[in-house]
Amino acid sequence: KFLGAYVLYCICMACFAVYALVLSFFATPQWIQIFCTLLGLLLYGAALIAINIFISALTESQMVAAIAGMGAGILIYMFNRLADSVAFDWLKSIINGVSFENRYNSFTTGVLNIADVVFFLSATALFLFFTIRIFDKKRWG
């Protein structure tokens, strides 16, 4: 299920690469920044797809899974705004540490930070592992 959703997501992201190629006929784009942004989008998307598949494994209803997945995506997107409204510095640093947007922003500037790549890959692997554990529990228990 994850692989099918991710391949479809990658095909959709390939359209942005076509835009960059068309742009190269009229200007000289910053290829490093375009490549890093595209890589960041692919990693961000993989993590969100894994989270949504995990949420889908928790419920039997497709409608509940869709609404909860959209809610989780919006919450993840809003982590930076949430961190701004928190009064405690230690909690603010934790929220900023798990903020997907903070990790993604370094990609958009053309900086390929290995810590950010590992963060997205770890989030993807963690939620896929949780999904497998949910299915194992349903099968054996």
Side-chain angles (χ1 to χ4, degrees):
K1 194 173 184 180
F2 171 78
L3 191 58
Y6 190 65
V7 167
L8 180 64
Y9 180 77
C10 289
I11 291 170
C12 293
M13 288 296 111
C15 294
F16 291 117
V18 172
Y19 292 145
L21 289 175
V22 170
L23 180 66
S24 69
F25 292 120
F26 302 106
T28 53
Q30 296 179 355
W31 288 108
I32 297 297
Q33 191 170 3
I34 291 171
F35 171 75
C36 287
T37 301
L38 189 60
L39 179 65
L41 282 172
L42 291 174
L43 291 171
Y44 198 129
L48 286 179
I49 290 169
I51 291 169
N52 285 323
I53 288 176
F54 170 69
I55 291 170
S56 176
L58 291 175
T59 181
E60 296 292 327
S61 171
Q62 292 178 351
M63 188 61 74
V64 171
I67 293 170
M70 287 174 42
I74 291 170
L75 181 67
I76 288 169
Y77 178 74
M78 298 296 288
F79 269 171
N80 282 351
R81 285 108 188 135
L82 180 67
D84 292 338
S85 64
V86 172
F88 302 110
D89 288 337
W90 62 271
L91 186 58
K92 187 181 290 191
S93 66
I94 290 172
I95 293 172
N96 281 328
V98 297
S99 171
F100 280 41
E101 190 174 347
N102 284 345
R103 302 288 182 157
Y104 172 69
N105 284 338
S106 66
F107 287 103
T108 61
T109 59
V111 176
L112 185 60
N113 189 354
I114 299 301
D116 296 336
V117 172
V118 169
F119 173 81
F120 284 117
L121 290 176
S122 297
T124 303
L126 182 69
F127 280 97
L128 288 176
F129 173 75
F130 288 160
T131 303
I132 291 169
R133 298 301 302 160
I134 291 293
F135 285 130
D136 284 344
K137 183 178 178 184
K138 285 182 182 179
R139 183 178 6 189
W140 299 110

